[in-house]
């Protein structure tokens, strides 16, 4: 990754780790996936989880060797 942190997608769900901590969710907890964040994030993936802050993956196109594929 060219970003500090980790993004892990598994059959069970998602885990996003940054310098500020780690957040995770199962796929059935996620009610929406969008590409617009309240902050000025560049190429974000925003995962909406009811009754919780959204998980925002900023610069999603910079994760992994095929980063743009992660974003798109």
């Amino acid at each position: 990754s060219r970003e500090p942190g980790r993004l892990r997608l598994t059959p069970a769900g998602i885990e996003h780790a940054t310098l500020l901590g780690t957040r995770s969710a199962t796929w059935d907890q996620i009610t929406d996936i969008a590409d617009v964040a309240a902050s000025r994030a560049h190429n974000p993936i925003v995962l909406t989880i009811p009754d919780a802050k959204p998980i925002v993956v900023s610069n999603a196109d910079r994760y992994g060797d095929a980063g743009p594929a992660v974003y798109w």
Side-chain angles (χ1 to χ4, degrees):
S1 170
R2 295 174 293 181
E3 276 300 298
R6 177 183 71 246
L7 177 63
R8 180 176 291 152
L9 305 173
T10 70
I14 184 170
E15 180 181 279
H16 181 235
T18 66
L19 297 174
L20 302 175
T22 301
R23 303 253 336 262
S24 60
T26 61
W27 291 116
D28 58 347
Q29 290 177 306
I30 298 169
T31 58
D32 191 29
I33 300 174
D35 63 349
V36 176
S39 63
R40 295 183 189 173
H42 180 70
N43 291 334
I45 297 173
V46 181
L47 304 147
T48 302
I49 303 164
D51 303 322
K53 278 179 73 173
I55 296 174
V56 179
V57 181
S58 297
N59 299 314
D61 61 330
R62 299 188 68 163
Y63 280 85
D65 294 333
V70 173
Y71 173 71
W72 288 108

